[in-house]
């Protein structure tokens, strides 16, 4: 598949969404929590508590919706500042009880409407970035579709970041990039190649740690395998001291791009 074909696959309305992953992985153990305690509940962000085998964890997902009605209700997965503040509230709660945090990201970007800007969209994202870097509990982020700009990064300052094989992660959409560089959005396929936004590209650059096979609905074996991988990762990170965990997370971001010259040198 070309890079742009993977972009289209990441946007496919028939693919599984965050609530599907939560349902298949955690079933009835998931208990949703609401609100940011400042303004209102943002339905683009689904968050709550769940049981990962015998371990209680916090789960936070950006939900796009599966049909027109749901997508309108979920604002097409474009979170408002209260969505990010809700996520941060639950992450700080998880830190208090030393619960691991699992983030499922699928968004074209944070909502950029006037109301969102008036309520501090940029500040909400920046606070998440800062607080997640020093969060004293394990954090794992999985890109399950689109990972667009700061809206995705606000839930991706983690100990490890994984991506589905047909997901993308980038500072800008290929259409937006093409419009800026060439004043022509039809050159989006060329922009997608240049952005290095696919899971395969980002794994090569050291931006992510793992590529996950694209699961299908009711693929119980796949979801059980994913649960086991998540559980083992949390077990490994829970065994660290707080200082070791934070040093590991800091080091992860400091080394991103260190092998970029080698990666680009084969062209």
């Amino acid at each position: 598949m070309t890079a742009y074909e993977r972009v289209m696959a990441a946007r496919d309305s028939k693919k599984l969404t965050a609530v599907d992953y939560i349902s298949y992985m955690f079933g009835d153990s998931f208990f949703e929590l609401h609100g940011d305690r400042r303004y209102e509940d943002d339905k683009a962000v689904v968050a709550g508590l769940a049981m990962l085998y015998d371990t209680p964890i916090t789960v936070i997902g950006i939900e796009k919706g599966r049909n027109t009605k749901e997508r309108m209700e979920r604002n097409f997965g474009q979170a408002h500042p209260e969505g990010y503040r809700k996520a941060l509230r639950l992450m700080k709660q998880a830190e208090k009880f030393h619960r691991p945090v699992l983030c499922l990201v699928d968004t074209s970007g944070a909502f950029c409407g006037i109301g969102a800007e008036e309520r501090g969209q940029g500040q909400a994202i920046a606070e998440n970035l800062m607080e997640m870097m020093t969060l004293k509990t394990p954090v794992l982020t999985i890109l399950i579709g689109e990972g667009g700009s700061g809206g995705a990064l606000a839930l991706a300052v983690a100990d490890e970041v994984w991506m589905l094989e047909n997901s993308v992660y980038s500072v800008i959409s290929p259409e937006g990039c093409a419009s800026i560089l060439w004043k022509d959005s039809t050159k989006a396929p060329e922009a997608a190649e240049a952005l290095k936004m696919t899971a395969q590209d980002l794994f090569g650059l050291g931006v992510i740690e793992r590529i996950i096979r694209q699961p299908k609905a009711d693929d119980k074996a796949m979801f059980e395998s994913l649960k086991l991988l998540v559980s083992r990762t949390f077990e490994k990170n829970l065994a660290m001291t707080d200082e070791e965990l934070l040093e590991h997370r800091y080091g992860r971001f400091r080394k991103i791009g260190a092998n970029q010259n080698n990666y680009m040198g084969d062209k």
Side-chain angles (χ1 to χ4, degrees), residues 19 47 76 124 135 186 204 248 265:
V19 294
F76 297 85
L135 200 69
T186 63
H248 173 267

Side-chain angles (χ1 to χ4, degrees), residues 3-199:
Y4 197 62
E5 285 172 341
R6 292 195 186 277
V7 172
M8 293 294 101
R11 295 172 177 171
D12 188 356
S13 61
K14 297 180 181 179
K15 70 177 177 57
L16 301 179
T17 66
V19 294
D20 293 318
Y21 283 83
I22 292 171
S23 175
Y24 287 128
M25 292 178 69
F26 307 111
D28 294 336
S29 76
F30 179 71
F31 184 82
E32 187 174 358
L33 299 174
H34 301 272
D36 67 340
R37 302 296 187 266
R38 296 189 192 181
Y39 185 71
E40 66 177 8
D41 183 48
D42 185 354
K43 293 185 178 180
V45 177
V46 178
L49 311 178
M51 293 298 296
L52 179 61
Y53 301 120
D54 296 327
T55 303
I57 68 170
T58 293
V59 184
I60 302 168
I62 300 181
E63 172 64 25
K64 281 186 174 182
R66 291 165 290 191
N67 53 50
T68 302
K69 182 179 179 180
E70 287 185 5
R71 291 194 168 213
M72 292 285 288
E73 184 180 20
R74 304 285 188 180
N75 200 37
F76 297 85
Q78 296 178 314
H80 290 79
E82 45 271 20
Y84 294 111
R85 291 178 180 134
K86 172 170 66 172
L88 181 58
R89 178 175 75 83
L90 294 188
M91 285 189 278
K92 297 299 286 186
Q93 181 194 80
E95 179 184 51
K96 179 179 179 180
F97 295 101
H98 210 52
R99 285 194 302 262
V101 178
L102 174 64
C103 298
L104 304 170
V105 175
D106 183 13
T107 180
S108 59
F111 188 60
C112 57
I114 293 175
E117 297 298 334
E118 289 175 340
R119 297 194 299 278
Q121 183 70 287
Q123 182 184 23
I125 292 173
E127 285 180 351
N128 276 32
L129 303 181
M130 179 180 69
E131 294 289 349
M132 289 184 76
M133 184 59 76
T134 58
L135 200 69
K136 295 178 181 178
T137 197
V139 184
L140 171 63
T141 296
I142 305 176
L143 278 292
I144 61 171
E146 285 188 281
S149 194
L153 189 60
L155 292 181
V157 181
D159 306 309
E160 292 189 21
V161 176
W162 302 351
M163 292 177 67
L164 297 186
E165 59 184 343
N166 290 332
S167 60
V168 293
Y169 192 23
S170 175
V171 69
I172 192 172
S173 70
E175 293 84 2
C177 178
S179 296
I180 293 171
L181 291 182
W182 299 299
K183 312 298 182 187
D184 183 1
S185 62
T186 63
K187 292 190 176 182
E190 291 93 325
E193 294 289 347
L195 284 167
K196 303 298 180 186
M197 62 195 302
T198 68

